[in-house]
Amino acid sequence: MEPAPGPQEKYHLITRNLQEVLGEDKLMAILKERELKIYWGTATTGKPHVAYFVPMSKIADFLKAGCEVTILFADLHAYLDNMKAPWELLDLRTRYYEYVIKAVLESIGVPLEKLKFVRGTDYQLSKEYTLDVYRLSSVVTQHDAKKAGAEVVKQVEHPLLSGLLYPGLQALDEEYLKVDAQFGGVDQRKIFTFAEKYLPSLGYAKRIHLMNPMVPGLTGSKMSSSEEDSKIDLLDRKEDVKKKLKKAFCEPGNIENNGVLSFIKHVLFPLKSEFVILREEKWGGNKTYTAYEALEKDFAEQVVHPGDLKNSVEVALNKLLDPIREKFNSPELKKLTNAAYPNPSKAKPAEKGTKNSEPENVVPSRLDIRVGKVISVEKHPDADSLYVEKIDVGEPEPRTVVSGLVQFVPKEQLQDRLVVLLCNLKPQKMRGVESQGMVLCASSVGEPRQVEPLDPPAGCCAGERVYVEGYEGGEPDDELKPKKKVFEKLQADFRVSEDCVAQWKQRNFLTKLGRVSCKSLKGGSIS
């Protein structure tokens, strides 16, 4: 039997791989006296994805350090955050989260009997808690509440009051769960500092805050439940894992915003203390790394190829996902999954005597629209009105795209520009050059005709998903079938608003950084 770790060893286990700790002195003082009490909360919104392995592997560290760990299924928070979980689905989604989080923990060998599981509504609807919400609302300014939730609560054009309550409830959870510390991603930092500022004003102690770094998604931006291309779902089939990893941003030698490398660093290495690169003998054969830094160095120096890195992660990841898939293969859990996350592409049947306002299955989530960066622009060799562009959309190779913009946009204005690209049209030859996508542009209604490429928000990455507000979920079609005319039916309702925002049926085109727009063509069409 191994001897119990001492305070210094416990401190190392608790803080390793974290980005920041607020309250280090208090943490060490508690460890010298007793075991640390800590909680991690998750709002029961979109389907959990593989980034959830990151906090789960830290929870394994906390248990090794002897901590008393509580996992909070924050169901009320899920509803308050711009109704990401509708009230009628709240209980179903919370049950789904309970099953899937426990399955993730079991897949990495965490003993469930050492954990305490709590639902937010078990105590957040009590008289005492509700009174504290009112007490807190009497001392918190609107500015501080909005600022605290800026990185976590969904930001929309007309925010709801519920989003301002969210940070206060999360702060009060620390007191009502009777913990010493709260653990979360560094995107929670503003909520954590909000709690440190305001809990003492109610007579409650300031807690310790432990923060994980944010793991980049497969597109290079934050992994998000609402951005399909950025994440691998815990129940994705093996062929889906392969497809998503194949499309993942993993530029040779680039270790910045590399979601594939980050997953190895924050999940696979802490679990196994090693990682094996699988490759054919002619490329050097398999190589085992016992330190992440050595793997990162070899990737930066292009000793390790992105293809081999992705293939090796695919094998390791599927080993983690197999027991979760197996558990959710039961009829009971399949039924729960379908009930908690009804398919948004299945239109509700019309009432007798009426017509559907929207043809079945024709919804914006079927379109694979991404941010692209124009790498090069040349005139088409056989057509004066066409450009041939190379556009980076976060894939291993840039796409070749032919567009009729010569009369409207000077070549130098396209070079290095961020554009919005429809990526799942069937490739089509245009005067002998195959075009692998369509640059979406705003067009004026009257004469003379004016055309402007749509602009993603500043700061977007190539490959980042563009979606229509309210249609964040759902997988895009691999390829739109020309005979079905899905794009054409949707495009009929594409418009530019009076404030130059791209819309479908008055719903904004968005990325995680905000609205897609054009420069000046108010009221124009989009094609």
Side-chain angles (χ1 to χ4, degrees):
M1 186 174 177
E2 290 185 16
Q8 198 63 48
E9 192 178 345
K10 287 179 181 180
Y11 182 89
H12 170 71
L13 282 167
I14 290 167
T15 60
R16 71 174 179 176
N17 285 336
L18 294 180
Q19 182 163 324
E20 188 176 3
V21 178
L22 299 177
E24 292 176 277
D25 293 342
K26 187 175 180 181
L27 172 59
M28 182 54 87
I30 290 173
L31 292 175
K32 288 177 180 177
E33 297 290 329
R34 57 174 173 82
E35 306 299 1
L36 186 75
K37 296 176 182 178
I38 186 169
Y39 100 87
W40 172 77
T42 180
T44 53
T45 53
K47 286 183 180 177
H49 43 74
V50 295
Y52 277 67
F53 277 109
V54 179
M56 297 303 102
S57 64
K58 270 314 296 177
I59 285 170
D61 281 346
F62 297 153
L63 291 176
K64 285 176 192 169
C67 299
E68 296 176 23
V69 181
T70 297
I71 291 181
L72 171 67
F73 297 110
D75 47 357
L76 198 54
H77 285 79
Y79 180 70
L80 291 175
D81 187 1
N82 206 49
M83 294 183 291
K84 282 184 182 176
W87 192 262
E88 63 274 13
L89 295 179
L90 209 54
D91 181 62
L92 290 165
R93 290 198 177 173
T94 305
R95 283 166 53 203
Y96 177 87
Y97 263 69
E98 287 184 36
Y99 278 110
V100 82
I101 294 297
K102 288 177 181 178
V104 171
L105 289 162
E106 287 175 325
S107 79
I108 61 174
V110 175
L112 298 185
E113 64 274 10
K114 291 189 175 182
L115 294 164
K116 182 181 178 183
F117 296 92
V118 179
R119 283 190 183 203
T121 48
D122 288 345
Y123 63 90
Q124 289 167 345
L125 301 177
S126 69
K127 178 182 175 182
E128 295 78 14
Y129 189 93
T130 304
L131 181 59
D132 270 344
V133 172
Y134 287 136
R135 289 175 64 207
L136 196 59
S137 69
S138 72
V139 294
V140 173
T141 64
Q142 180 189 4
H143 171 271
D144 283 3
K146 186 177 180 181
K147 179 183 174 184
E151 301 293 326
V152 177
V153 178
K154 185 177 179 181
Q155 301 300 298
V156 293
E157 193 170 359
H158 302 292
L160 300 172
L161 177 61
S162 58
L164 296 177
L165 296 175
Y166 190 109
L169 268 66
Q170 188 167 333
L172 287 172
D173 290 340
E174 297 179 347
E175 173 64 25
Y176 279 78
L177 291 171
K178 302 301 177 189
V179 295
D180 305 306
Q182 183 180 173
F183 164 61
V186 75
D187 60 337
Q188 306 266 339
R189 192 183 194 281
K190 289 177 182 175
I191 291 182
F192 291 167
T193 54
F194 172 94
E196 292 188 6
K197 177 179 178 180
Y198 282 107
L199 277 188
S201 68
L202 299 187
Y204 299 140
K206 186 166 77 170
R207 265 62 180 195
I208 299 159
H209 294 102
L210 310 170
M211 285 165 271
N212 252 349
M214 298 310 297
V215 175
L218 301 180
T219 58
S221 55
K222 174 185 169 183
M223 199 175 290
S224 165
S225 293
S226 62
E227 192 182 339
E228 283 296 321
D229 282 343
S230 80
K231 67 188 178 76
I232 294 172
D233 281 338
L234 294 168
L235 299 182
D236 272 350
R237 301 169 301 167
K238 290 187 176 182
E239 50 266 42
D240 294 327
V241 172
K242 181 182 286 291
K243 183 176 76 173
K244 289 181 178 180
L245 279 171
K246 189 176 179 181
K247 290 164 66 176
F249 175 78
C250 192
E251 192 175 50
N254 186 350
I255 60 174
E256 300 297 324
N257 294 320
N258 188 322
V260 182
L261 271 177
S262 290
F263 189 76
I264 297 170
K265 178 180 181 179
H266 293 286
V267 176
L268 299 177
F269 254 104
L271 291 176
K272 301 287 184 184
S273 299
E274 66 174 32
F275 184 73
V276 181
I277 291 291
L278 305 170
R279 57 190 176 191
E280 297 178 35
E281 286 298 328
K282 65 180 179 180
W283 304 117
N286 295 352
K287 183 171 181 180
T288 300
Y289 290 88
T290 55
Y292 170 76
E293 292 73 20
L295 171 61
E296 186 181 85
K297 181 173 180 288
D298 277 0
F299 186 82
E301 294 174 358
Q302 300 189 35
V303 175
V304 174
H305 188 272
D308 294 328
L309 191 76
K310 290 180 179 183
N311 291 339
S312 306
V313 168
E314 181 188 340
V315 171
L317 180 54
N318 277 318
K319 284 181 182 176
L320 293 177
L321 295 180
D322 278 342
I324 303 171
R325 294 185 187 116
E326 187 177 346
K327 185 167 186 174
F328 273 77
N329 207 27
S330 70
E332 179 195 358
L333 291 184
K334 280 183 177 178
K335 185 178 178 181
L336 174 62
T337 304
N338 292 332
Y341 297 94
N343 190 338
S345 68
K346 291 184 178 177
K348 293 179 181 178
E351 293 178 17
K352 195 172 181 181
T354 66
K355 292 182 179 180
N356 275 327
S357 60
E358 200 173 290
E360 187 177 3
N361 289 332
V362 182
V363 290
S365 53
R366 293 183 63 180
L367 304 179
D368 183 3
I369 306 177
R370 300 184 223 164
V371 175
K373 183 174 182 179
V374 180
I375 296 172
S376 67
V377 191
E378 302 295 339
K379 282 274 193 77
H380 193 296
D382 298 318
D384 290 342
S385 63
L386 301 178
Y387 284 131
V388 179
E389 301 126 357
K390 294 286 185 184
I391 301 181
D392 177 9
V393 288
E395 296 171 339
E397 299 295 330
R399 292 195 179 205
T400 300
V401 178
V402 180
S403 53
L405 295 174
V406 172
Q407 300 173 53
F408 306 104
V409 185
K411 179 179 170 180
E412 56 272 17
Q413 286 186 20
L414 276 179
Q415 181 68 45
D416 297 323
R417 178 180 184 148
L418 289 181
V419 293
V420 176
L421 195 73
L422 178 61
C423 294
N424 60 342
L425 290 172
K426 184 176 180 179
Q428 182 180 348
K429 283 202 171 182
M430 298 179 72
R431 300 291 293 271
V433 177
E434 185 175 81
S435 182
Q436 300 167 321
M438 176 193 291
V439 177
L440 294 182
C441 298
S443 300
S444 61
V445 178
E447 295 294 335
R449 189 179 177 219
Q450 294 176 276
V451 176
E452 295 173 357
L454 294 182
D455 292 317
C460 284
C461 299
E464 193 170 316
R465 190 182 177 202
V466 177
Y467 55 88
V468 171
E469 191 172 11
Y471 289 84
E472 294 90 337
E475 278 278 354
D477 292 14
D478 288 337
E479 183 178 283
L480 297 170
K481 305 300 179 192
K483 288 183 180 179
K484 299 285 186 181
K485 297 194 178 298
V486 172
F487 172 68
E488 290 80 358
K489 291 173 183 175
L490 291 165
Q491 190 249 340
D493 292 300
F494 286 2
R495 290 287 182 276
V496 178
S497 72
E498 288 305 307
D499 52 354
C500 291
V501 177
Q503 296 183 329
W504 174 80
K505 291 189 175 182
Q506 298 183 315
R507 293 171 179 256
N508 295 335
F509 281 55
L510 301 169
T511 74
K512 68 181 183 65
L513 293 181
R515 301 180 297 181
V516 173
S517 60
C518 70
K519 188 177 179 182
S520 64
L521 300 181
K522 299 177 181 180
S525 61
I526 298 172
S527 58

